[in-house]
Amino acid sequence: MSKIKIYLQPTPVRIWHWLNALGIITLCITAVQIRFPEHVHLFASYKSAILLHNVAGLVVTFSFSLWFVYYAVISRSLFKVYLPSKDDLEHGLARQAKFYLLTYFLGWKNPHHATPDNKFNPMQKSAYLAIMFILVPLVSLTGLLLTNVSPMRDLVLLVGGLKILIALHFLLACCLCAFLFTHVYLATLGKTPLEHIKPMWTGWEEEEETEESPRHAA
Amino acid sequence: MKTRVTNKIIMLSVNILFVTLTPALAFAMDSGACLDCHGDAGVVGDKLVIEALGFDSTAHAELGCHSCHASITADHPDDGLPPSRAGCAECHDPVSREYAASLHAENAGCSDCHNPHRALGPTAVSGHDMNRQCMACHDRPDMVALHGEWLPQADLHISMLPCITCHSSSAEYVISLYLIKRQGGQYPGGLELASHAELSAIAGGRPIEQLIDRNADNYVSLAELRMFNLDPENKQLRLQGMITPEGVSHDFRSRDDRWDCSFCHASGPAARQVSFLSLVEPDGSFKRVAVEQGAVLDALYGTPDFYMVGSTRSTALNYVGLVILAGGLVMPIGHGTLRILTRKNRRHEEK
């Protein structure tokens, strides 16, 4: 079987992905010092941790907007890429879960093939949907409020108060971080640990050509 | 503490000296008689009026008007003589000396910050009112801009801290909680200290402390705080927290440790256990009710509007966060282990 290369991850998506990765990791690390300043001293001063956290937060919020505009306006494939189809919900999810939890260990093939038009398996779609439409926007919004408490006091009160806002921000951020662990781990589940990670860096994925799914090489 | 007690003894003896050495007093009217005229703007005019209610609650009221206006005669005001005015230094020697030595002494005198007829200690004045004293000369927008050069959210800090928390020193700092109310349905903003009359109206005739201290035991428990915050009847009221000093040194200058945020933000929850509910009295001074230790650290409903990042975090929330993070590790660790154990299956397939 010959190998073909497909252009899976366009440049804007890759920039976005790694900007996010850098931003979110910075956010997690600075957050630990911001919450536990008397135990954690990674950054020279409390103020620098806060400033870095604020900048990284803005970067991630900006990159989130970039993502949204790219998929919703430029490529107009937001819902196609991220919304699970009826088939996904009825069969795909179970199929994919079965793969991860059982048949993967038996050495079966991943039932999902990533193509530029259908990049994510049903589980990824649902996870990313929750993350990109709920978690990230909420963490970003609560974060924006926390960097502007005084001018946005009324919005803060609407949420229930500064403390409720912080609790939300903290717990949602923990969820995001927890997802990160799973995300990185699942990314190593290709035939080789780097199989899925490489295309996110170079854009190109190498695939074996199969008869049922002839794809034109880009 | 010791110096405060000795101060008091000194001041009391000063008083006794005044009483014994001032024969004029024998003829002097008592404060009540002075206030018959000076409590009424209709008699003495706006400039000479003294608010009797406000004066009576101060330590100076016990001294009486004549202690400071000693030269007053029985013929006042018909004698046309200007009554004498005691200098603060006559009785407040330590504070006056400390202040005289400070850089600020050439900028303001005692009476620029204090009204001698309204002299209250730091725990009887709200943080808002203390800042009003300073903002008579230090314009608020200027201060926000000046501090904003190094302090993130300077606007918030200037609103939530008395200037003297950073520009004076005290043996102790506590969290003071004030009742604020939205004035006239104003959006945005409009949240201001509620007056005693407003709170009385909301309390419906009960003493205002019972808005929060429901069982009237002069102690606010966490449960009572929670009830207050969840009670829909209190919707227009909120509790605002400030870090306030228990005493005031009069050297008003910039302090290096207030400059690095750790003074307030990095002290950890252990340092943020003590808080008081500061309640406004009919005369505008404040009295305090002790609040349960650590109540401000409650995850959600102790003080929903007070949160000082880094030092008032809730331990319960930390554990919830930890469980979430642990949940994220289930897949990598659990699946990863099985993956290693079953790696032969996949090698077989690849052949």
Side-chain angles (χ1 to χ4, degrees):
Chain A
M1 269 190 282
S2 63
K3 290 212 166 176
I4 59 159
K5 281 178 124 191
I6 53 171
Y7 192 53
L8 193 62
Q9 305 289 5
T11 309
V13 175
R14 281 180 286 141
I15 293 178
W16 168 79
H17 177 269
W18 292 111
L19 205 60
N20 254 356
L22 186 70
I24 291 177
I25 290 167
T26 310
L27 282 167
C28 290
I29 296 171
T30 47
V32 179
Q33 177 159 355
I34 291 171
R35 193 165 175 93
F36 302 100
E38 73 279 24
H39 303 306
V40 181
H41 306 276
L42 291 166
F43 299 91
S45 73
Y46 195 61
K47 186 172 150 187
S48 50
I50 288 192
L51 292 182
L52 193 57
H53 191 81
N54 291 354
V55 170
L58 284 176
V59 167
V60 170
T61 307
F62 174 73
S63 112
F64 174 81
S65 319
L66 202 74
W67 165 84
F68 193 82
V69 170
Y70 177 78
Y71 274 107
V73 181
I74 298 176
S75 87
R76 290 177 185 276
S77 57
L78 189 66
F79 288 104
K80 206 164 70 198
V81 174
Y82 286 93
L83 209 63
S85 65
K86 193 157 169 271
D87 179 61
D88 283 340
L89 289 178
E90 280 169 3
H91 313 289
L93 274 176
R95 202 186 313 132
Q96 198 64 32
K98 191 174 145 205
F99 167 70
Y100 281 138
L101 297 180
L102 181 66
T103 56
Y104 169 83
F105 298 120
L106 302 177
W108 294 18
K109 267 201 159 158
N110 192 332
H112 177 264
H113 293 287
T115 69
D117 285 344
N118 188 16
K119 262 201 279 201
F120 302 130
N121 72 45
M123 278 180 86
Q124 276 175 307
K125 276 188 199 172
S126 318
Y128 289 150
L129 194 72
I131 285 165
M132 298 307 289
F133 286 81
I134 300 170
L135 271 188
V136 174
L138 279 182
V139 176
S140 303
L141 278 178
T142 49
L144 280 176
L145 283 180
L146 282 170
T147 50
N148 297 283
V149 177
S150 231
M152 301 204 208
R153 180 64 84 177
D154 287 303
L155 281 177
V156 175
L157 292 182
L158 211 64
V159 178
L162 195 52
K163 200 166 233 173
I164 317 268
L165 185 70
I166 276 274
L168 259 175
H169 187 72
F170 172 67
L171 293 179
L172 289 170
C174 284
C175 293
L176 205 60
C177 187
F179 163 76
L180 215 63
F181 297 147
T182 308
H183 175 69
V184 171
Y185 175 73
L186 287 182
T188 67
L189 276 195
K191 288 205 197 69
T192 64
L194 284 182
E195 188 201 355
H196 294 324
I197 296 172
K198 238 190 262 162
M200 198 35 102
W201 188 253
T202 62
W204 295 90
E205 177 165 77
E206 279 186 4
E207 272 235 359
E208 283 156 16
E209 201 163 17
T210 51
E211 281 156 42
E212 9 105 48
S213 60
R215 291 182 215 103
H216 55 101
Chain B
M1 208 56 212
K2 220 177 195 170
T3 55
R4 272 180 77 91
V5 172
T6 36
N7 278 353
K8 266 190 193 170
I9 292 169
I10 292 171
M11 280 194 222
L12 276 178
S13 31
V14 168
N15 286 344
I16 292 163
L17 269 178
F18 260 90
V19 173
T20 47
L21 294 184
T22 318
L25 279 180
F27 315 102
M29 302 172 252
D30 66 9
S31 298
C34 308
L35 288 170
D36 279 346
C37 290
H38 285 282
D40 186 348
V43 177
V44 294
D46 284 342
K47 277 198 183 150
L48 299 184
V49 81
I50 286 165
E51 229 190 284
L53 191 62
F55 178 73
D56 284 344
S57 61
T58 67
H60 284 172
E62 281 165 37
L63 305 176
C65 311
H66 33 68
S67 307
C68 293
H69 301 292
S71 78
I72 213 132
T73 66
D75 294 335
H76 173 81
D78 302 328
D79 57 9
L81 297 171
S84 65
R85 285 129 207 230
C88 314
E90 285 174 32
C91 303
H92 294 284
D93 193 38
V95 174
S96 300
R97 255 185 288 159
E98 183 183 34
Y99 185 63
S102 77
L103 282 173
H104 206 273
E106 58 191 49
N107 302 325
C110 309
S111 300
D112 285 324
C113 293
H114 294 285
N115 175 347
H117 310 118
R118 193 84 189 94
L120 296 164
T123 58
V125 180
S126 69
H128 312 71
D129 289 335
M130 287 183 206
N131 278 0
R132 239 165 255 144
Q133 292 172 338
C134 309
M135 284 170 190
C137 300
H138 298 284
D139 215 23
R140 190 176 202 283
D142 291 351
M143 286 303 112
V144 170
L146 178 72
H147 293 78
E149 285 170 16
W150 57 273
L151 182 64
Q153 305 200 43
D155 196 10
L156 176 69
H157 282 98
I158 299 268
S159 306
M160 295 302 177
L161 291 165
C163 314
I164 54 170
T165 296
C166 291
H167 287 294
S168 154
S169 69
S170 165
E172 219 183 316
Y173 293 85
V174 299
I175 298 164
S176 294
L177 302 170
Y178 301 99
L179 280 165
I180 55 170
K181 181 176 172 291
R182 192 177 294 282
Q183 302 296 335
Q186 228 178 303
Y187 286 90
L191 282 164
E192 272 166 37
L193 268 186
S195 71
H196 189 273
E198 287 170 326
L199 292 176
S200 280
I202 295 171
R206 282 176 301 160
I208 61 165
E209 46 269 43
Q210 285 178 28
L211 280 170
I212 300 184
D213 178 18
R214 294 183 182 225
N215 60 6
D217 61 352
N218 205 30
Y219 174 78
V220 173
S221 65
L222 177 56
E224 283 171 328
L225 268 184
R226 229 184 252 135
M227 267 190 271
F228 167 79
N229 286 311
L230 291 172
D231 188 344
E233 275 185 32
N234 299 328
K235 234 165 103 185
Q236 35 179 343
L237 293 178
R238 309 210 57 117
L239 274 176
Q240 188 177 59
M242 285 191 177
I243 306 285
T244 56
E246 292 284 271
V248 186
S249 74
H250 275 64
D251 50 351
F252 310 111
R253 58 183 173 83
S254 302
R255 280 155 208 287
D256 289 343
D257 59 346
R258 314 301 203 270
W259 160 282
D260 91 3
C261 334
S262 50
F263 179 74
C264 293
H265 286 286
S267 44
R272 298 287 167 222
Q273 299 283 323
V274 183
S275 55
F276 291 94
L277 176 64
S278 260
L279 283 166
V280 65
E281 299 268 52
D283 67 19
S285 66
F286 282 73
K287 73 165 183 191
R288 310 202 297 185
V289 180
V291 174
E292 187 174 331
Q293 292 266 314
V296 292
L297 307 179
D298 178 59
L300 297 176
Y301 282 116
T303 51
D305 292 320
F306 179 73
Y307 184 84
M308 227 164 57
V309 64
S311 56
T312 59
R313 59 175 185 263
S314 133
T315 311
L317 270 190
N318 289 346
Y319 285 120
V320 177
L322 197 66
V323 167
I324 295 177
L325 289 181
L329 286 172
V330 165
M331 188 73 183
I333 293 175
H335 197 274
T337 311
L338 282 175
R339 178 185 182 181
I340 292 168
L341 292 177
T342 59
R343 62 192 179 282
K344 272 192 206 133
N345 292 351
R346 284 182 303 282
R347 226 174 268 146
H348 177 72
E349 189 259 350
E350 268 159 34
K351 271 176 203 161

